[in-house]
Amino acid sequence: MRLFARTMSSFTRTVSGPWNFVNGKRCNPLHPDGVMKVTEPATGKLLCEVPKSSKEDVSSAVLEAKKALGGWSQLSPRERGQMLIEAGRIVRNNVEDIARLEVRDTGKPIWEARVDILSCADALEYYGGLAPGIVGQHIQLGGGSFAMVQRQPIGVIGGIGAWNFPMQTCVWKVAPALACGNTFVYKPSQFTPVTAVTLAEVLSSAGVPEGVFNVVQGEGEAGAALCHEPDVSKLSFTGSVPTGIKVMASGAESLKTVTLELGGKSPLIIFPDADMKNAVKAALMANFLTQGEVCSNGTRVFVHKSIAKDFIDKVVTATKKMKIGDPNNDETTVGATIHADHAQKVLDYIKGAKEEGAHVLCGGERVILDGPLADGWYLSPAVLVNCTDDMKVVREEVFGSVMSVLEFESEEEVVQRANNTNFGLAGAVFTKDIQRGHRVANTIEAGTVWINNYNLYPTEVPFGGYKHSGIGRENGWAAIDAFTQTRMVYVEMGDVDCGPLYQD
Ligand code: NDP
């Protein structure tokens, strides 16, 4: 096993294969199952061709992860932590290059990609720092006997990610899992294969040994194969509810534990005493980052009737000022939708909303840009009013830049309406009344509630969903709980007392 054999912080800075990463190096699948043609969202043109990993290739990667488990888990947590901190340093020093790769993969604006990649550095450094603090317990029992509760890794982790935050989703799983001594096989989304392999190269440069982190590329079949692997002990999944249900069902076959980060339809509640400018800024953050392709988005914006007109005027004015353009330009705030089918789905939701009686005050249309960007799917961010709770656009996750504004009159009414959904990922309340802020936050059925802000996820705090939005938590100490299991060792200091069972 190679420890601290640090090379220069070398990783591939262009979009080029091979695309799998197994046993410490980029490689092609040995038994490819066809090729994925990946489109660059910004241009609508071919970005790369990625061979799909077959079931055999997934099994080989899992085998390498299993072989690496003994050595990795036996290192001191401090040694593992040092490598993660080093990986964080490499990411931090190369934010611009990695962010540019993320833009090519996702079509999101470069300023956002920089934030995402910096958050990857944060997570690597945080879990690197936390690693030596992952300790067990000593429990004193009677007669001098005692128990030790040891925190152990779970084994080989299978990770599967969505396409909206490709590297961040991967790091949120891999950093805590590796800190705890697990090894990993990750399958990125077919739409965004690029930066998981970048992460693999960064970890390798930081000294992480061969086989500890592996990447297999493919579509749903490769993900399903990973879920069925008998040597994978835990599945950590980010994606839609229907796929999450399949992942959980296949994990159940061999009693794998699962963490599921799924979709949302979160409420953002604005009371009359809210700071209006901050509420407007938060509504933009809650709806229009990454072309609206954000799981925790506050797409149901409940505004008190008394301030609705003012809020709507201001939010529409601000939305119209957003700059649709080349995601590589610093001034762009609306990039390209991930692919044509998804853009069409978003446009269909807007069409359906109009048919149900909603009014579109701005946006909701395809914008065709000049030159090489002409084939990208750029949608203008939409603000919908005259919405009702029963409309499809208000009930279902659109995953596009579509804000539905709903009016309310009382706190009791808005809380009931906010919770009237099967989702429970996030929510927010805007008010200057500290008691109302806490009272409402305490009643929102969601894993994350912001008071007077939106869509912030510091690494230090847990993130995950209630109800159909997921199971388990990522980030913070919660991820350490998720990637460890405890073993109790009872130490008897006296004689065995078995009552009348034994007679001298
Ligand atoms: P999908 O559920 O379609 O796909 C997610 C991942 O699962 C992809 O890598 C996909 O592969 C893979 N997959 C597909 N079928 C299977 C299967 N049968 N078994 C195992 N894996 C499979 O979601 P999207 O990629 O479209 O992502 C959007 C969704 O993700 C939204 O609902 C969003 O809310 C949610 N999300 C949740 C987040 C959270 O933290 N709560 C964060 C980000 C997104 P492939 O794409 O290659 O077919």
Side-chain angles (χ1 to χ4, degrees), residues 36 160-165 169 172 187-191 218-221 223-224 227 237-241 243-244 246-247 261-264 294-295 397 399 425 463 469 474:
M36 305 186 293
I160 298 171
W163 42 262
N164 51 349
F165 291 83
T169 302
W172 281 13
K187 191 207 83 72
S189 163
Q190 61 176 295
F191 303 112
E219 298 178 353
E221 290 79 11
C227 295
F237 172 80
T238 298
S240 64
V241 177
T243 314
K246 286 186 203 163
V247 167
E261 293 288 353
L262 309 177
V294 181
C295 51
E397 184 182 44
F399 225 52
L425 191 55
F463 178 71
S469 288
E474 297 194 311

